Amino acid sequence: LGVFHFLVRITPTPWHITHTHTLTRSLQMTVTIKKPDTHRREYAYFELPNKLRAVVGSDPACDKAGAALTVNVGMCYERKDLPGLAHFLEHMLFTGTKKYPKEGEYMEYIKQNGGVTNANTACYVTNYMFEIKPEVLEDALDRFAGFFTEPLLTRDCTDREINAVDSEFQAGHTMPWWRYIGIMHMSANPAHPFHVAVGNNKVLKDQPKERGIDLYDEMMKLYNDFYSANGMTLCVIGKESVAELEAMVRQKFGAVVDKGLKLPLGDAVSSEPPFLPKDWNRLLLQCPVKDVKQLTFSWVLPYQAPLWKSKPTSYIRHLLGHEGKGSLTAVLKDRGLISGCSAGGGAWLEGAFSLLHVSFDLTDAGVHEVEEIGKLLFTYICLLQKEDVKLWILEEMQ
């Protein structure tokens, strides 16, 4: 039994929703982060002279400290003919720094001190993170900062890290989610930068060699061209005071180079649409390797992150995924067509656009009633489009 994907592009009706600001002005700091009165942690936001933005959290009672840094560069900034290059760069940053040149020293230090470390490459961002026992946070930050101030990016590690990327590809390419991501990739407009690529031995090792391309040089170019302090956001939590944590960040990350890059998001990414109607407005049948019976409707929306205050898609997702009496889900369950429903977004695929998904877990009977489920879904959407935003629904969401 397959997974059905009904892909639709629409121009959404804007929902105007008010939302309380989460950041307010302060005389002491540029920004004060609001939190519940019962919340014991103290926070501070600040920006370094190199334009790197940071949030620190102080919790004297914490049993784990840690940090995460996100840089606004991902798969969609790599060469399309070198898919997986950004992911490969992510791996190479773990191979050592000038101050700590021993290969694997960073990961060994984190592990020896009861911590874990990881990273992930998305379409428009890459994130690096670790957690560790609080007593050694400063030393861990010293090692972590070197990723972005003085990485070695050792050429000798190239083949090994390509193999590590390939292992991740082999482990995930049969998973239903990754197979769906593959459909998104193949449906994209070739003239738009959007693409999804984990990378493997074939595209990162074999094919570049055949074409005379030095993958290492291209990786270095990606790092040098796009990893800029003004595109980085750092979060650190530890038992030290806010002032002490801020001092750590300023000392260790102040040397990250600001290259003055302004990378576009949303419609500014490209004058071309991310998907063409002929590739998007269609029914796709996917044959999974697991026993999955699912129907998903997907819409391409304008990039939603700038609307973080009002969160219009949260409102519509709440209604589309609602399971109460009289809801779409309740009706379809009563008819024996579905066992569950969920509504979500595009997560790490977003940056040039956003996505809205409505997924139904189908019963055996529902597999044969895809058109009927679609009719009920679009009837419900038409009903919602005729209604104003309801205050009681916003209150219910809180």
Side-chain angles (χ1 to χ4, degrees):
L1 293 173
V3 180
F4 296 82
H5 294 288
F6 192 84
L7 306 178
V8 185
R9 178 177 174 85
I10 61 172
T11 301
T13 301
W15 298 93
H16 300 290
I17 309 172
T18 58
H19 188 273
T20 304
H21 284 237
T22 57
L23 300 176
T24 58
R25 291 287 177 184
S26 168
L27 293 176
Q28 289 76 29
M29 297 180 183
T30 304
V31 175
T32 299
I33 300 175
K34 297 181 69 174
K35 61 186 181 68
D37 293 338
T38 57
H39 195 69
R40 69 172 185 265
R41 292 173 177 169
E42 296 294 331
Y43 298 96
Y45 167 87
F46 52 93
E47 185 176 295
L48 302 188
N50 60 6
K51 305 296 176 61
L52 184 148
R53 295 171 295 173
V55 174
V56 295
S58 172
D59 182 356
C62 70
D63 59 357
K64 287 286 186 182
L69 185 145
T70 296
V71 58
N72 63 340
V73 177
M75 303 173 188
C76 294
Y77 290 96
E78 68 193 9
R79 285 177 51 168
K80 271 194 172 184
D81 63 338
L82 294 174
L85 182 65
H87 185 200
F88 170 61
L89 168 57
E90 170 215 303
H91 276 248
M92 288 291 288
L93 281 174
F94 283 81
T95 59
T97 64
K98 289 182 179 179
K99 186 174 181 179
Y100 302 98
K102 180 183 175 183
E103 192 175 329
E105 196 276 345
Y106 166 74
M107 298 183 73
E108 182 180 339
Y109 183 83
I110 298 293
K111 185 177 181 179
Q112 287 177 347
N113 286 281
V116 294
T117 182
N118 209 340
N120 61 77
T121 303
C123 286
Y124 288 89
V125 297
T126 303
N127 179 260
Y128 303 84
M129 75 290 286
F130 73 86
E131 65 175 43
I132 200 166
K133 64 182 183 182
E135 293 76 16
V136 294
L137 172 63
E138 184 168 7
D139 288 341
L141 274 179
D142 197 45
R143 290 163 169 79
F144 185 58
F147 282 33
F148 315 104
T149 57
E150 50 179 18
L152 290 180
L153 298 170
T154 308
R155 182 183 282 272
D156 291 344
C157 298
T158 298
D159 284 347
R160 189 196 65 201
E161 294 307 323
I162 291 176
N163 289 334
V165 169
D166 183 75
S167 295
E168 292 184 25
F169 173 83
Q170 299 299 335
H173 80 282
T174 58
M175 295 180 181
W177 167 248
W178 277 109
R179 291 164 74 88
Y180 175 68
I181 295 301
I183 290 175
M184 294 289 294
H185 173 78
M186 291 185 290
S187 300
N189 179 1
H192 190 279
F194 173 75
H195 69 284
V196 184
V198 175
N200 56 38
N201 281 336
K202 180 179 179 181
V203 298
L204 292 177
K205 184 184 296 184
D206 301 338
Q207 291 180 352
K209 285 182 179 179
E210 292 171 1
R211 291 181 287 151
I213 296 175
D214 189 321
L215 188 78
Y216 178 83
D217 287 346
E218 293 299 326
M219 178 273 299
M220 289 294 297
K221 187 175 188 301
L222 182 66
Y223 180 84
N224 291 328
D225 287 353
F226 289 104
Y227 270 55
S228 175
N230 70 324
M232 296 180 181
T233 304
L234 172 70
C235 180
V236 179
I237 186 166
K239 63 183 180 62
E240 292 84 355
S241 68
V242 164
E244 290 171 326
L245 291 170
E246 179 175 343
M248 282 187 202
V249 169
R250 291 186 180 277
Q251 177 190 8
K252 301 184 186 305
F253 291 86
V256 181
V257 177
D258 175 20
K259 299 166 185 174
L261 295 181
K262 293 184 179 179
L263 300 181
L265 289 172
D267 290 342
V269 168
S270 174
S271 59
E272 294 282 342
F275 301 92
L276 299 174
K278 67 181 180 65
D279 297 319
W280 185 262
N281 298 340
R282 57 179 174 167
L283 173 65
L284 297 174
L285 306 181
Q286 178 187 337
C287 183
V289 295
K290 298 181 179 180
D291 183 15
V292 177
K293 298 183 286 289
Q294 192 175 74
L295 170 64
T296 299
F297 293 81
S298 299
W299 289 265
V300 180
L301 306 177
Y303 186 46
Q304 295 294 299
L307 304 176
W308 62 270
K309 292 181 182 179
S310 57
K311 298 181 177 65
T313 52
S314 295
Y315 184 88
I316 192 64
R317 288 202 305 263
H318 174 76
L319 294 174
L320 291 174
H322 189 57
E323 298 185 358
K325 183 178 179 181
S327 67
L328 174 65
T329 299
V331 170
L332 292 172
K333 281 185 175 181
D334 288 345
R335 296 190 183 186
L337 301 180
I338 70 168
S339 59
C341 172
S342 62
W348 55 268
L349 299 175
E350 299 188 0
F353 56 87
S354 289
L355 294 168
L356 174 64
H357 304 297
V358 180
S359 296
F360 300 101
D361 296 320
L362 302 174
T363 62
D364 290 340
V367 171
H368 305 288
E369 298 292 342
V370 170
E371 186 174 344
E372 179 64 17
I373 295 171
K375 286 180 179 178
L376 289 170
L377 170 62
F378 280 91
T379 299
Y380 183 47
I381 290 174
C382 289
L383 174 65
L384 296 177
Q385 289 175 333
K386 294 176 182 178
E387 296 288 331
D388 294 330
V389 174
K390 307 295 184 184
L391 180 60
W392 66 268
I393 294 177
L394 294 173
E395 292 173 346
E396 182 179 80
M397 292 170 59
Q398 296 177 354

